[in-house]
C-alpha cells in the first residue's frame, strides 16, 4: 500500500455507503488521502434504513477487493461468500468495520451543502481547472465548514430522493396531503408497530421493480400468517403484464433476483394481490372514511385502500452541485457517456459494458458521480458496478491512466431483455421482437403456475424487464 500524500488537499468523497467507502479504500491504496463526508451518524446510514431487506447479491459480490485488503490486518474475514446478507448485515458486518479502519478519514453528521471551484462560480472560465474545489459542509451541531479538495467523488446515492407515485414524474395531486398513509420504502413487517399498520388492510403497491416485488411478497407472507387474515395487496403497474414482467426467473444469473420475481408472481397467482395494469396515477384523494382513492390519468378510480407503498425508483439530488459544470444526459440525469449503456428506453438486460473514469467524467475535471448516483434515474445498478467505477476513478486521480482505462466487468444478466421506450406504441410487442407489453388497462389475475420460492429482497436494483416502471 502506498503512503498517503498529505501535501495536497484530500479527495473529498461524499457518502459513507458501500461505494463511498470503497472509493476511500481505493484512494488509500493509491497513496491519496481521502476525506469521507457522511450526513448520517453511522456508516451505511441509508443501507440501515432497509436493514430488514435481503440483498439478491451474495457476500462474494458485495465486498470490494481494496476494502477487504484494508480490513485484512484487523483480522476481519468476509462472511461465507455464497450467502446473502441483509441490509443490516452489510452495514454492521462490513461497512462499519471498514469505516472504523479508515478512522478520522470519515466524518459523520457532515452534510455537503455545496461544491464549487475556489473563487469561481460556474460562469468563470479563467484559470478554473487550477483552482481546488470548495466544499461547504453543515454539521449536525449546527456548525458550517468550508473545505478544500483536489477532487470530488460524489457517492451520496439516491436514497433520499425517491420518485413519486404520479405517472408523469411529478407527485400525484393530493400525494403530499396523503403522506400519513404513504411510504416510499419497503416496510419492515417484522416490526410489530409496522406490521399492525398493514395487517388486515388493503395496500396499494405502486412500482414493478425488485423493491415492489419484495413488498408484494412480504404482504403475501403477512396474509398467510396466523394474524394476517384480510391482508390484501393491489399492485399498480403503469404498463401491461407479460412473461418478462416478473424478471428472468430461473434464467436470471442472480438466482435470488429471479426467485424474487417468482415470489411476487406467486402473490398474484394465489390471490394475495390483484394487479391493475396500464394505470398511471394522476391523483390521490381522501375518501370519507380516511382511506385513499387512486385516480388514473384515464379517469379510472380504484377502490379505496388503507395504505400506499410507492416504489417507483429514485432520482439523484443535484441541488448541491449547481456550481459545477456537469455533463448529464437530459433524460436519465446520468453522465452523458454512461447514459447510452444503461438507458432503460433501449435495454433492460442488466448487462452494462465495462465503464470507468472516462464514462464518468464531466466538463468539470476531477469531479465524478459514482455508484447509484451515476445511474441517475436508471435502474439495474449492482454494487460490483460501483466498485469497478471507483477503482478506475481512483487510478485516474492518481495519474495511472493505464490502470484506470483497464476496466473489465461482466455483470450477471437478468434473463430478460427489451426496450421500454415503445410501451405506448400500439404494436410495441411486434416492434420490439416480443419484448414489450400491450398497455390496455385491466384488472388481472395471472393463471400461470405459482412458485413458492421466497427469493431474496433487493435494496439496490430493480430486476428490470420491459414492463417495469
Amino acid at each position: 500500500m502506498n503512503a498517503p500524500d498529505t501535501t495536497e488537499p484530500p479527495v473529498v468523497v461524499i457518502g459513507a455507503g458501500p461505494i463511498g467507502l470503497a472509493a476511500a479504500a481505493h484512494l488509500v491504496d493509491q497513496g491519496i488521502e481521502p476525506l469521507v463526508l457522511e450526513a448520517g451518524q453511522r456508516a451505511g446510514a441509508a443501507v440501515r434504513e432497509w436493514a430488514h431487506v435481503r440483498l439478491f447479491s451474495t457476500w462474494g459480490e458485495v465486498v470490494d477487493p481494496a476494502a477487504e485488503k484494508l480490513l485484512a490486518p484487523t483480522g476481519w474475514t468476509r462472511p461465507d461468500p455464497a450467502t446473502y446478507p441483509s441490509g443490516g448485515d452489510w452495514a454492521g458486518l462490513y461497512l462499519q468495520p471498514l469505516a472504523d479502519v479508515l478512522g478520522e478519514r470519515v466524518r459523520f453528521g457532515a452534510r455537503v451543502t455545496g461544491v464549487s471551484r475556489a473563487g469561481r462560480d460556474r460562469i468563470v472560465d479563467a484559470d478554473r481547472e487550477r483552482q481546488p474545489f470548495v466544499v461547504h459542509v453543515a454539521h449536525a451541531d449546527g456548525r458550517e465548514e468550508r473545505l478544500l479538495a483536489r477532487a470530488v467523488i460524489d457517492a451520496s446515492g439516491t436514497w433520499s430522493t425517491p420518485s413519486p407515485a404520479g405517472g408523469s414524474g411529478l407527485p400525484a395531486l393530493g400525494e403530499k396531503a396523503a403522506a400519513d398513509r404513504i411510504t416510499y420504502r419497503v416496510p419492515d413487517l417484522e416490526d410489530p408497530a409496522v406490521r399492525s399498520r398493514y395487517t388486515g388492510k388493503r395496500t396499494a403497491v405502486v412500482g414493478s421493480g425488485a423493491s415492489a416485488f419484495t413488498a408484494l411478497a412480504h404482504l403475501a407472507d403477512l396474509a398467510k400468517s396466523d394474524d394476517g387474515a384480510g391482508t390484501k395487496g393491489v399492485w399498480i403497474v403503469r404498463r401491461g403484464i407479460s412473461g418478462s414482467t416478473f424478471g428472468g426467473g430461473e434464467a436470471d444469473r442472480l438466482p435470488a433476483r429471479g426467485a424474487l420475481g417468482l415470489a411476487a408472481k406467486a402473490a398474484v397467482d394465489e390471490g394475495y394481490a390483484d394487479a391493475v395494469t396500464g394505470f398511471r396515477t394522476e391523483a390521490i384523494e381522501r375518501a370519507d372514511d380516511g382511506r385513499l382513492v387512486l385516480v388514473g390519468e384515464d379517469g379510472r378510480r380504484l377502490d379505496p385502500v388503507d395504505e400506499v407503498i410507492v416504489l417507483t425508483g429514485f432520482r439523484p439530488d443535484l441541488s448541491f452541485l449547481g456550481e459545477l459544470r456537469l455533463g448529464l444526459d437530459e433524460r436519465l440525469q446520468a453522465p452523458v457517456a454512461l447514459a447510452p449503456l444503461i438507458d432503460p428506453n433501449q435495454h433492460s438486460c442488466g448487462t452494462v459494458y465495462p465503464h470507468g473514469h472516462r464514462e464518468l467524467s464531466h466538463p468539470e475535471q476531477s469531479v465524478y458521480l459514482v455508484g447509484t448516483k451515476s445511474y441517475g434515474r436508471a435502474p439495474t445498478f449492482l454494487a460490483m458496478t460501483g466498485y469497478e467505477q471507483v477503482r478506475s476513478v481512483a487510478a485516474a486521480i492518481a495519474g495511472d491512466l493505464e490502470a484506470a482505462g483497464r476496466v473489465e466487468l461482466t455483470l450477471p444478466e437478468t434473463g430478460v431483455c427489451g426496450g421500454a421506450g415503445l410501451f405506448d406504441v400500439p404494436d410495441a410487442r411486434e416492434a420490439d421482437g416480443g419484448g414489450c407489453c400491450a398497455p390496455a388497462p385491466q384488472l388481472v389475475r395471472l393463471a400461470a403456475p405459482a412458485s413458492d420460492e421466497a427469493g431474496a429482497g433487493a435494496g439496490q436494483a430493480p430486476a428490470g424487464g420491459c414492463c417495469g416502471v
Side-chain angles (χ1 to χ4, degrees):
M1 184 180 299
N2 298 324
D5 180 0
T6 58
T7 62
E8 293 188 77
V11 172
V12 164
V13 179
I14 306 174
I19 309 307
L21 292 175
H26 281 280
L27 289 167
V28 170
D29 198 46
Q30 291 284 352
I32 299 172
E33 192 67 12
L35 176 60
V36 182
L37 302 175
E38 167 57 49
Q41 296 300 321
R42 293 185 293 174
V47 174
R48 293 176 192 273
E49 291 192 29
W50 48 269
H52 58 290
V53 179
R54 194 162 299 281
L55 280 71
F56 51 57
S57 297
T58 64
W59 272 112
E61 296 161 331
V62 298
V63 173
D64 175 77
E68 190 167 13
K69 178 181 177 182
L70 199 61
L71 283 164
T74 71
W76 184 89
T77 56
R78 180 172 54 182
D80 183 348
T83 61
Y84 296 89
S86 66
D89 296 334
W90 204 17
L93 300 179
Y94 168 60
L95 299 180
Q96 192 62 55
L98 179 54
D100 292 342
V101 168
L102 289 166
E104 294 183 357
R105 297 183 176 104
V106 183
R107 297 184 187 175
F108 297 105
R111 181 179 299 278
V112 174
T113 58
V115 182
S116 186
R117 290 280 188 177
R120 307 289 189 275
D121 62 20
R122 67 181 297 157
I123 299 175
V124 179
D125 291 331
D127 205 28
R128 184 178 189 86
E129 293 175 2
R130 298 181 61 184
Q131 304 305 312
F133 290 96
V134 175
V135 181
H136 282 202
V137 183
H139 292 274
D141 60 5
R143 290 183 300 112
E144 290 185 302
E145 187 176 9
R146 180 178 183 270
L147 302 171
L148 298 181
R150 61 184 284 192
V152 174
I153 300 175
D154 184 356
S156 59
T158 57
W159 179 254
S160 64
T161 47
S163 295
S168 301
L170 301 173
L173 300 178
E175 183 170 346
K176 294 180 181 178
D180 61 315
R181 290 178 179 261
I182 300 177
T183 184
Y184 298 86
R185 310 288 188 249
V186 176
D188 181 3
L189 299 183
E190 297 302 315
D191 182 320
V194 176
R195 188 180 184 87
S196 65
R197 177 173 174 175
Y198 297 93
T199 299
K201 304 294 180 59
R202 179 177 168 87
T203 299
V205 177
V206 185
S208 60
S211 294
F213 293 168
T214 302
L216 289 168
H218 286 185
L219 288 172
D221 288 341
L222 175 57
K224 296 174 188 178
S225 67
D226 293 339
D227 63 342
T231 303
K232 183 75 172 184
V234 181
W235 185 30
I236 310 299
V237 189
R238 291 175 181 168
R239 300 168 190 166
I241 284 184
S242 78
S244 63
T245 299
F246 296 95
E250 295 180 0
D252 196 319
R253 293 186 184 176
L254 287 177
R257 181 171 59 187
L260 177 60
L262 294 175
K265 183 176 183 298
V268 177
D269 288 342
E270 296 170 2
Y272 296 110
D274 290 328
V276 180
T277 65
F279 190 94
R280 299 180 195 127
T281 307
E282 181 178 88
I284 299 177
E285 300 178 355
R286 185 87 62 170
D288 292 341
D289 61 1
R291 294 191 295 167
L292 302 180
V293 175
L294 276 63
V295 182
E297 292 179 353
D298 57 4
R300 282 185 298 159
R301 301 171 63 87
L302 302 184
D303 292 337
V305 296
D306 300 284
E307 300 286 342
V308 178
I309 303 173
V310 179
L311 300 168
T312 54
F314 296 85
R315 53 187 60 179
D317 177 9
L318 302 170
S319 60
F320 59 89
L321 303 177
E323 292 305 316
L324 297 178
R325 298 175 177 180
L326 301 181
L328 298 175
D329 179 77
E330 61 185 9
R331 295 166 299 173
L332 300 185
Q333 297 177 295
V336 169
L338 176 60
L341 308 182
I342 60 176
D343 187 351
N345 286 291
Q346 303 300 324
H347 65 86
S348 57
C349 302
T351 299
V352 179
Y353 291 105
H355 65 278
H357 76 105
R358 292 190 183 92
E359 291 80 5
L360 298 170
S361 63
H362 295 273
E364 193 80 70
Q365 293 187 12
S366 300
V367 60
Y368 302 93
L369 276 60
V370 300
T372 56
K373 192 159 187 177
S374 72
Y375 270 43
R377 299 192 183 199
T380 69
F381 180 84
L382 295 173
M384 63 185 83
T385 303
Y387 294 155
E388 183 62 9
Q389 286 179 343
V390 296
R391 184 206 61 79
S392 174
V393 165
I397 293 173
D400 188 350
L401 296 183
E402 180 181 354
R406 193 173 59 249
V407 181
E408 297 179 359
L409 177 65
T410 301
L411 296 179
E413 295 184 3
T414 64
V416 293
C417 297
L422 299 178
F423 72 91
D424 277 329
V425 177
D427 294 323
R429 185 188 301 271
E430 289 75 20
D432 196 43
C436 284
C437 316
Q442 55 184 316
L443 176 67
V444 299
R445 181 163 297 167
L446 305 184
S451 168
D452 59 359
E453 202 167 358
Q460 303 159 286
C466 73
C467 305
V469 168

